[in-house]
Amino acid sequence: MEMRVLRYFLAVAREENITRAAEYLNITQPTLSRQLALLEEETGVTLFTRGSKRITLTDEGLLLRRRAQEIVALADKTMEELSSKDKNLSGTVTIGTGGLSANAKVLQAAESFRKLHPDVRFSIFIGTADSVQDRIDSGLADFGILLEPVSVEKYGFIRLPQKERWAVIVHGSHRLATKDKICVEDLKDELLVFPERLSVQSELHGWFSSHEDELKIAYSSNLSLIASEIVMCSDAVAFVIEGSLPYVDETKIAIRPLYPPLESETVIAYKKRMPLTPVASEFFQYLKCFLGME
C-alpha cells in the first residue's frame, strides 16, 4: 500500500467525486479510477459506494480513512523533522490538551518561543485524556497537557504551576445558580453528570466522602462541552474543571466552585523512549525555563 495511493484515496473520500479529486490531484480521471480499483483489490474489500452523483465510503472505507489520515500525518511529520536538520530552527510542535486553565501558560510560552523562532509552528488539538495519550503514543503529538495521575513508566513530564479547580455547572435557572459555592449537602437528590475518566471519578467519590452511596449519577461525559449541553436540556448538575469553559453566558450556564475545594495537578507530558524532534526538544527546554523550573 503506497503512500501516494493513500493520498489519492483520501482526496476521493474528501471530495466524494472522482472528477473533482482528479483535478485536485492533477492526474487524469482514468488513472485515479484505476488506482482506486487496485487499492480495493489489494485490501480485498469494497471501499466506496458509487452513486450517480457522489461517492461515499463503506464501513471498511471509513476505517481505512481514519488509519490513512494517521499514516499520512505521521509520514508528513517525519519528513518535516528530517528536512529540518541543519537548518534554522523550524517545524511544528504538536500539543494535545483538554479544556484546562493550564493551557494559557503553555500557550504564552509557545507564543514567546515562536517570536524567537518565526519558522516554528504550533498545532494544538483538544480531546479527552485518552485521545491525547493515544496521539502521544503513536507519535502524532509531541506533548500532552494532562491531569494527574499519569503513568511515570510511559511518560516523562514536568508539572505546571496551575492547579485545576473542580466546579459544577448548572442551568442558569437552577436553584444552585444562586449560590457562591457548592458543598456536598447542596447536591443531595440532584441528578449528576460525572466525567468518564475513572481516576477522576475516584477523586470526586472521595470528595463526597461518606455520602458517595447516595449519589444519583444520571450521565457521564468525556468533555465539558458535552456536559454543558446536558445541563442545558435537563436539571442535572455536571462536574467540570473550572477553566474548561472560559466563555460562558451566566444567564444560561452558571459555574460554581466546590467547597471544600477540590484541586488537581496538571503536567505537560511526552512519551519516554521516543526521541523528541529538534524543535520539540528546544521548546521543551524553553518551556522549563519559561516556567522558572531550571
Side-chain angles (χ1 to χ4, degrees):
M1 192 179 298
E2 298 180 23
M3 191 68 60
R4 169 178 54 85
V5 178
L6 288 181
R7 294 184 192 276
Y8 289 173
F9 167 76
L10 289 174
V12 175
R14 181 179 64 250
E15 298 294 336
E16 297 184 338
N17 183 279
I18 290 284
T19 302
R20 288 199 302 270
E23 290 174 353
Y24 170 80
L25 294 166
N26 198 27
I27 60 176
T28 65
Q29 182 176 333
T31 297
L32 181 56
S33 296
R34 186 167 59 253
Q35 292 294 332
L36 294 178
L38 289 172
L39 179 60
E40 287 186 315
E41 182 180 334
E42 182 182 0
T43 57
V45 296
T46 301
L47 300 172
F48 298 98
T49 299
R50 294 163 173 83
S52 58
K53 294 185 178 179
R54 60 193 287 258
I55 292 177
T56 57
L57 294 175
T58 63
D59 289 345
E60 292 81 5
L62 290 170
L63 174 61
L64 179 60
R65 182 177 66 178
R66 185 165 69 249
R67 297 299 184 222
Q69 287 171 334
E70 294 175 354
I71 292 168
V72 169
L74 188 56
D76 289 344
K77 192 171 188 295
T78 302
M79 290 303 298
E80 182 181 12
E81 292 163 6
L82 293 173
S83 63
S84 68
K85 290 188 175 182
D86 302 323
K87 295 181 180 179
N88 292 331
L89 194 63
S90 63
T92 301
V93 179
T94 305
I95 304 173
T97 181
L100 301 170
S101 301
N103 295 344
K105 186 62 69 175
V106 175
L107 292 175
Q108 289 168 12
E111 177 59 13
S112 178
F113 186 78
R114 193 194 59 78
K115 287 179 178 177
L116 292 173
H117 306 285
D119 292 333
V120 173
R121 293 180 299 167
F122 285 86
S123 175
I124 313 296
F125 71 91
I126 292 181
T128 64
D130 288 340
S131 66
V132 170
Q133 290 177 48
D134 285 344
R135 289 213 184 185
I136 298 174
D137 292 345
S138 65
L140 292 173
D142 299 303
F143 304 106
I145 303 173
L146 303 167
L147 289 177
E148 288 204 275
V150 296
S151 170
V152 295
E153 289 79 19
K154 288 179 64 176
Y155 304 108
F157 58 86
I158 54 174
R159 286 187 176 85
L160 297 170
Q162 297 92 333
K163 289 186 177 181
E164 303 293 340
R165 187 164 67 158
W166 284 92
V168 297
I169 54 174
V170 294
H171 193 283
S173 62
H174 196 284
R175 68 175 185 87
L176 294 181
T178 61
K179 291 183 167 289
D180 295 327
K181 50 193 174 184
I182 304 300
C183 64
V184 172
E185 294 295 325
D186 296 322
L187 298 173
K188 285 185 175 180
D189 301 322
E190 295 289 347
L191 296 178
L192 304 178
V193 184
F194 260 39
E196 276 197 347
R197 195 177 175 195
L198 293 178
S199 60
V200 172
Q201 290 184 15
S202 178
E203 287 192 51
L204 290 174
H205 279 290
W207 182 78
F208 275 97
S209 187
S210 60
H211 297 278
E212 63 174 318
D213 292 336
E214 305 169 22
L215 303 184
K216 297 181 179 178
I217 302 174
Y219 300 90
S220 65
S221 69
N222 60 357
L223 288 173
S224 297
L225 177 62
I226 303 302
S228 67
E229 294 287 349
I230 296 171
V231 163
M232 283 298 296
C233 61
S234 72
D235 291 327
V237 179
F239 289 85
V240 299
I241 290 291
E242 197 168 36
S244 62
L245 295 168
Y247 310 109
V248 170
D249 183 346
E250 279 275 340
T251 64
K252 295 180 179 179
I253 291 181
I255 303 178
R256 298 293 181 263
L258 301 181
Y259 184 83
L262 178 61
E263 296 179 327
S264 297
E265 301 274 1
T266 53
V267 302
I268 182 163
Y270 60 91
K271 181 72 177 292
K272 282 184 176 179
R273 293 177 289 280
M274 182 180 289
L276 291 172
T277 66
V279 64
S281 180
E282 285 288 334
F283 173 68
F284 193 63
Q285 297 304 318
Y286 183 85
L287 177 63
K288 288 195 286 185
C289 294
F290 188 88
L291 298 174
M293 292 185 177
E294 284 193 336

